[in-house]
Amino acid sequence: MCGICGEIRTRGDVRLSDFWEMTRSMQSRGPDSEGVFAHGLEHGSMAFGHRRLAILDQASTSQQPMIDNELGLGIVFNGCIYNFRELKSELQGKGYRFFSEGDTEVILKAYHAWGTDCVRRFKGMFAFALWERDGGRVVLVRDRLGIKPLYYTEGDGYFRFASSLPSLLAAGGVDRTLDPVALQQFFSFHAAVPAPRTILKSVKKLEPATILTIQPDGTKKTERYWHFTVGDRSGDRRLSEQEWSKAVSDAMLAAVDRRRVADVPVGVLLSGGLDSSLIVALLAKLGHGNVRTFSIGFESVGGQSGDEFYYSDIVAKHFGTEHEQIRIDGGEALGVLPDAIRAMSEPMVSHDSVAFYLLSREVAKRVRVVQSGQGADEIFGGYSWYPSFLTANDATRQYRDAYFDWQQDDLRKLLSDDVDEDHGTAFVESFFARTAATSAVDKALQIDAEIMLVDDPVKRVDNMTMAHGLEARVPFLDHEVVELAARMPSRLKVADGGKYILKQAARSLLPAEVIDRPKGYFPVPSLRHLRGEFLDYVRDVLNSPAARQRGLYRSEFIQHMLDEPEAEKSPKGHSRLWHAALLEAWLQEHAI
């Protein structure tokens, strides 16, 4: 897990002083070492940078940028290829010789052996840029589920990419104009802006499961190399519930096992919910002794508990893990808010961002790799609104009413610019029209797994863990698990309060008290109920000279929310005041 960046110019030279700024801005993603490779072209130049977090093969032979002079290839790579040893053995059988023990070199050899089709063989999370010395071609790739980020910007004669949006800004020369379509999507989709858009008009993100090829003359081509469709298959309809349950258990066991590969200890972020608890159970089944587990908790506010230690303690005791409760007071959460916001590649409104930031800060002092339970709700139908789709006739309307934090009429009250078009609804309509999923519930599961998952929980975990050089692995997003869940009948997922089949698969592994508990979240009550110093922080952000000069919001509606902080809530109970304040705070922290 690292930070990567690069710049390709079809004329002129890369300004290395600016390029070093871009590379060094990702120090937290790769605190162990850094490297830059620059190369002159016939009619331009290119440079590639890397910040390393050493998890596999900590020797210098795995430093990046990695150059294979024998093959004429180079690479910068962020992520982990979990099946790299199997691929390495296969490549050695083809006559390839290796000079390192990690997974980076395996990508180079695999590309030489199989071309861009090599990515279909990779099991893991990855974003990489690979270049050909002789042909001058550059290939950028993002993993199937978008676990690893890759942002880019381009202009007259240049193309620049990086693992984070702020890193692109650090090199200078990037237009910082807001994208009005993305702005609406940000408010509609709980801060998730679907790729390729970002909140900035000039910055894009490579879509998941995508190969972007850049030719020496600057022409580009994209290819989607993996698809999945939510919906049952006729050949699977004979499978019993018990057979589905076993298939889920087997797939998750393999996914957790793959994510043990490391040359450093691996821990678990244990919330006490079904998902992270199941990971602990599967590690125990695999014979992984002395598992280190970590939970975080905050003080209660407004009658809402700020921790789930009761359940995480049950799991830790049941499996004999080396468990740590990390207790955080509200004042400390407020103190790190600016740091957590600076760590966001894009503005993220979920209250648990600061929780993940603080948890990652403490966990990184103890281990360098953790497994985490993100993705289970989207893949196995765990959210409360999914059952309503079983009988829905209008999937778009049902999704909008269940999911959107802000409807178009709400945004007309908030935003200074006219809101003539409903870009949030338009995106959902377009997505549902082109997906192969047929029923309303399958359409909802498809958009959440393919779009919202990537740019909300997955991005949040990546940004907050990597802010402290901590690598997070998410077994529920193993692509084979996703493919299995996608073809499972929706009733087996959304029944009985959600994640029915996952609960059944867990019954032989976990205490019933953990499986049948009410659904929990990663609570930060102080941000859900804005009071005291937290409300003062929000007021200062929204009344600051920078906010007034920007004029993004209608002042009378902002004042209404500040006067009545609990008055404006989304359908899911999220604070709209915090939503507006978070975006403004993110823009200020990144000097936009």
Side-chain angles (χ1 to χ4, degrees), residues 445-475:
L445 289 165
Q446 184 85 42
I447 197 172
D448 280 358
E450 191 173 331
I451 304 295
M452 302 312 168
L453 170 66
V454 177
D455 278 293
D456 187 8
V458 167
K459 180 171 62 185
R460 182 164 67 249
V461 171
D462 173 83
N463 285 189
M464 297 302 109
T465 55
M466 292 308 292
H468 303 284
L470 178 68
E471 177 173 312
R473 298 174 175 180
V474 280

Side-chain angles (χ1 to χ4, degrees), residues 84-113:
F84 80 97
R85 291 193 175 101
E86 296 91 328
L87 292 171
K88 181 176 181 179
S89 179
E90 184 177 355
L91 289 162
Q92 286 174 325
K94 289 178 173 289
Y96 286 93
R97 297 174 295 178
F98 287 79
F99 53 79
S100 69
E101 298 299 325
D103 52 350
T104 306
E105 189 184 359
V106 171
I107 300 176
L108 287 174
K109 263 64 172 184
Y111 178 81
H112 187 268

